[in-house]
Amino acid sequence: MTKLIGSKKIKTAVFISGTGSNLKNLIKFSKKRNSPISIDLIVSNSSKSKGLKYADQFKIKKKIFNFDHVTNTERKILIQLNKYEINFICLAGFMKILSKNFIKKFKGKIINIHPSLLPKYKGLNTHERAIKNKDKFAGCSVHYVTEKLDSGKIIMQKKIKIANKDNSYSLAKKVLKQEHKIYPASIIKILN
Ligand code: GRF
């Protein structure tokens, strides 16, 4: 992986679809001295993503693409990534699946946060499934993105206990808190 050279931060794009709490957290992290990344572009597949407000708040360029035609969309995204000299991508609640071709172009340079202890519960509704299965533990994972969904090498995980009274909402909240810790820590781990 590209390592931090001198004091130059690695230009990074964050891809989102929803609330953007991880995005906000990564933006705050990126402004710290020990952060190896700067966030230079926010990509969303929907103009309705609440997280887009952080682009305005922190004066970061944002681009919205509808994924009606994946190949065309990815071509357009690549043009923007080139334009802003992006060298690293963080997926943060991004709900679209990127193509094999796209991932190949950024091999080893795309990471994702997933709200489960991978390889358990790939895909959606992780908390519902953990509760339904009466699991004792839940957690989150940061991993490299490969063409196989939620299957790339794990960079960092955090395990938490599921309380008897937890439901999928309370669990999501607890896990999200941990996500905000391990996403920056993972970036430091692989880039510093
Ligand atoms: C997080 O739980 C993340 O792990 C998952 O989607 C959620 C996004 O939350 N992939 P937010 O938009 O960062 O608040």
Side-chain angles (χ1 to χ4, degrees):
M1 183 51 233
T2 332
K3 294 261 171 183
L4 185 63
I5 305 160
S7 60
K8 243 179 148 215
K9 295 192 176 191
I10 296 163
K11 292 190 178 202
T12 298
V14 182
F15 287 28
I16 61 164
S17 297
T19 318
S21 72
N22 276 291
L23 166 66
K24 183 184 181 200
N25 184 58
L26 287 179
I27 296 172
K28 289 198 161 164
F29 162 68
S30 73
K31 295 184 181 300
K32 293 187 178 163
R33 258 183 64 198
N34 71 338
S35 164
I37 61 163
S38 62
I39 293 172
D40 299 276
L41 183 65
I42 295 166
V43 169
S44 175
N45 62 302
S46 164
S47 58
K48 294 200 177 90
S49 299
K50 290 208 181 95
L52 284 171
K53 67 175 182 235
Y54 301 118
D56 304 329
Q57 191 179 324
F58 293 97
K59 300 193 171 40
I60 299 171
K61 278 262 168 291
K62 63 171 182 229
K63 296 282 167 192
I64 299 148
F65 301 92
N66 79 48
F67 269 69
D68 282 358
H69 189 295
V70 177
T71 314
N72 281 346
T73 303
E74 289 185 343
R75 205 174 293 139
K76 287 183 199 156
I77 295 178
L78 282 168
I79 290 170
Q80 294 303 319
L81 296 176
N82 241 325
K83 181 173 166 191
Y84 293 102
E85 300 173 326
I86 300 298
N87 211 10
F88 191 63
I89 297 173
C90 295
L91 306 184
F94 185 62
M95 300 301 282
K96 293 286 174 187
I97 294 174
L98 296 165
S99 75
K100 198 162 136 180
N101 243 329
F102 185 95
I103 293 167
K104 222 159 72 191
K105 290 205 168 75
F106 271 82
K107 195 163 184 266
K109 295 179 179 183
I110 312 181
I111 64 173
N112 179 41
I113 184 127
H114 185 76
S116 80
L117 292 169
L118 290 171
K120 219 170 181 185
Y121 305 136
K122 294 173 184 176
L124 298 174
N125 307 320
T126 55
H127 305 306
E128 285 86 338
R129 289 190 273 162
I131 297 275
K132 199 169 158 225
N133 289 340
K134 301 196 183 337
D135 287 358
K136 297 225 164 2
F137 296 97
C140 46
S141 313
V142 176
H143 65 94
Y144 285 103
V145 173
T146 60
E147 55 198 64
K148 248 181 118 191
L149 185 71
D150 298 330
S151 300
K153 189 173 168 223
I154 291 166
I155 300 162
M156 208 175 266
Q157 289 186 309
K158 176 74 188 177
K159 187 173 173 178
I160 62 155
K161 249 190 145 152
I162 303 180
N164 283 336
K165 59 174 194 312
D166 269 330
N167 55 37
S168 59
Y169 296 102
S170 64
L171 185 56
K173 214 170 146 191
K174 278 190 201 168
V175 170
L176 201 55
K177 216 168 153 186
Q178 297 307 320
E179 292 183 30
H180 296 164
K181 288 186 186 158
I182 69 164
Y183 215 167
S186 300
I187 292 169
I188 289 179
K189 183 177 169 187
I190 61 171
L191 296 181
N192 264 356

